[in-house]
Amino acid sequence: MQNKLTVSALQWTGASLKVLDQRQLPEKIVYDEYTDAAGVTEAIASMRVRGAPAIGIAAAYGVALSVRQHCTQGDHWRQKVAADIELLATSRPTAVNLFWALDQMKTILATQLEHPIEAVLACAEKIHSDDLAANLKMGELGADILAGATGVLTHCNAGALATGGHGTALGVIRSAYQRQPIKVYAGETRPWLQGARLTVWELAQDGIPSTLIADSAAAWLMKSGAIDWIVVGADRIAANGDAANKIGTYSLAVLAKQHGVKLMVAAPTTTIDWSIDDGAQIEIEQRNPNELLPACYNHESSLVSAWNPVFDVTPAELISAIVTERGAVMNPAEHGVRGLKNAL
Ligand code: MRU
């Protein structure tokens, strides 16, 4: 199935990067245009663009913009680009796709000495198109596993908006829906409401009906027997299969075990951090408490504070399947995902 979404998270114009401001969805479709790495860094940090693969793709274009800007400005351009890469790396800590993409660009800069502007842009565009291809592959593999399922719940937004297109978890759901109608539930995903503002909107663009639930309704939904699977994306997967994803995923995994519901994590191999053995080593982003606090408490002398981790780690033992473009690992707690490293 081709990705039919008419809006995309990122658009390269030839000289700039257009970023769909996801903070304004679904009310407004507004693209901001960036011509330097500092701007792209801010777009990621402020969550105009979000979702692990899309963050990596945006950062890659950010490096391409940096090379365009500095390459013709004298001898020290490589130091300036290196500083921009460092800056981009500070934008958000959890999604490993960001660091993977920056490493790809560093390798190109170190090896393609002849035409650096063209080389880094080609690399960024390949990261972008490879991600879409991976999602289409994952969609089919994940849909195979969902065969016979009648209801699924997803969390956050792991769709076209969060990737190079089609989506990871939503890609699986899109592909499954093409084969047979499946009832799709989306958790609202507090506090940023990726589910309520992005996922149900994105599915509606494709004509796929969905039902929004409050996050706190998930246990009761599972108890009702309405869902067979929870399908989510990931921001970083450790070698043993532990998976970091949007805060609340771990809660859903625990609830799923209680209710006999299965959990699928769909993510490209660019989301696997081969360097870490388990999820304990994943840095969990803490965002500004003011994203959570009612405005009346947003001052220093308030007695009310907020704790705002925006990801959690689901242990592999609670995951039924990890689906990547290189294949699916069933029951990842048995052997982790290491076998995917050298898979075709
Ligand atoms: O804070 P966000 O919106 O960037 O978090 C996004 C998620 O947690 C997604 O589930 C994950 O990045 C996978 S996106 C294909």
Side-chain angles (χ1 to χ4, degrees):
M1 174 193 177
Q2 293 303 305
N3 174 38
K4 289 190 275 177
L5 195 74
T6 47
V7 288
S8 51
L10 299 165
Q11 293 175 359
W12 177 255
T13 67
S16 64
L17 180 65
K18 284 189 170 178
V19 174
L20 176 60
D21 185 353
Q22 297 189 27
R23 302 170 313 173
Q24 301 198 50
L25 290 173
E27 280 83 15
K28 290 184 189 152
I29 296 177
V30 176
Y31 281 89
D32 297 320
E33 195 164 353
Y34 297 94
T35 53
D36 62 20
V40 175
T41 303
E42 200 277 330
I44 297 170
S46 62
M47 292 178 64
R48 284 172 171 81
V49 57
R50 33 67 50 202
I55 289 170
I57 296 163
Y61 283 121
V63 177
L65 287 170
S66 176
V67 175
R68 279 176 68 92
Q69 181 183 7
H70 299 304
C71 185
T72 52
Q73 289 178 359
D75 296 342
H76 297 299
W77 72 269
R78 281 185 178 273
Q79 284 103 309
K80 290 177 181 163
V81 171
D84 276 345
I85 291 175
E86 293 288 308
L87 182 68
L88 284 157
T90 64
S91 58
R92 291 190 77 187
T94 303
V96 77
N97 306 62
L98 169 68
F99 307 100
W100 174 85
L102 293 176
D103 282 347
Q104 298 290 111
M105 302 305 273
K106 281 186 210 167
T107 301
I108 294 294
L109 279 166
T111 55
Q112 306 282 314
L113 305 176
E114 290 279 309
H115 302 287
I117 296 178
E118 292 78 4
V120 288
L121 178 57
C123 184
E125 289 180 322
K126 182 166 175 359
I127 289 172
H128 197 166
S129 58
D130 282 356
D131 188 64
L132 172 59
N135 292 337
L136 292 167
K137 183 81 196 291
M138 270 185 274
E140 295 306 314
L141 294 174
D144 289 345
I145 296 170
L146 290 188
T150 55
V152 296
L153 169 67
T154 190
H155 186 59
C156 193
N157 170 268
L161 290 168
T163 64
H166 196 62
T168 58
L170 278 198
V172 169
I173 290 171
R174 278 194 166 92
S175 298
Y177 190 86
Q178 280 294 103
R179 298 185 189 183
Q180 65 188 64
I182 189 168
K183 179 94 177 149
V184 183
Y185 293 90
E188 60 181 347
T189 317
R190 287 194 172 265
W192 213 75
L193 299 176
Q194 286 92 335
R197 295 190 304 101
L198 307 179
T199 293
V200 294
W201 177 79
E202 187 183 319
L203 288 171
Q205 306 303 300
D206 272 5
I208 299 176
S210 63
T211 300
L212 186 64
I213 62 163
D215 294 329
S216 47
W220 199 237
L221 179 75
M222 291 183 215
K223 175 85 174 162
S224 77
I227 60 165
D228 312 287
W229 282 86
I230 297 166
V231 187
V232 295
D235 285 79
R236 192 183 294 232
I237 300 173
N240 74 340
D242 292 352
N245 190 49
K246 179 53 54 193
I247 189 77
T249 304
Y250 174 51
S251 319
L252 292 174
V254 172
L255 292 172
K257 185 178 181 189
Q258 167 72 14
H259 293 94
V261 169
K262 292 180 185 149
L263 174 66
M264 178 188 294
V265 174
T269 48
T270 52
T271 301
I272 299 177
D273 186 345
W274 310 104
S275 74
I276 58 170
D277 291 332
D278 60 55
Q281 295 166 68
I282 299 175
E283 182 181 349
I284 299 296
E285 179 181 9
Q286 295 275 343
R287 287 187 69 86
N288 191 325
N290 292 343
E291 290 184 354
L292 194 57
L293 278 174
C296 63
Y297 301 123
N298 290 351
H299 56 88
E300 276 182 17
S301 60
S302 171
L303 291 174
V304 181
S305 61
W307 182 58
N308 191 19
V310 297
F311 299 101
D312 55 28
V313 177
T314 298
E317 70 207 48
L318 295 179
I319 300 172
S320 306
I322 294 179
V323 178
T324 77
E325 80 283 8
R326 292 187 198 166
V329 175
M330 304 305 291
N331 304 315
E334 287 174 9
H335 304 291
V337 292
R338 294 173 192 88
L340 293 171
K341 190 165 184 183
N342 298 314
L344 286 177

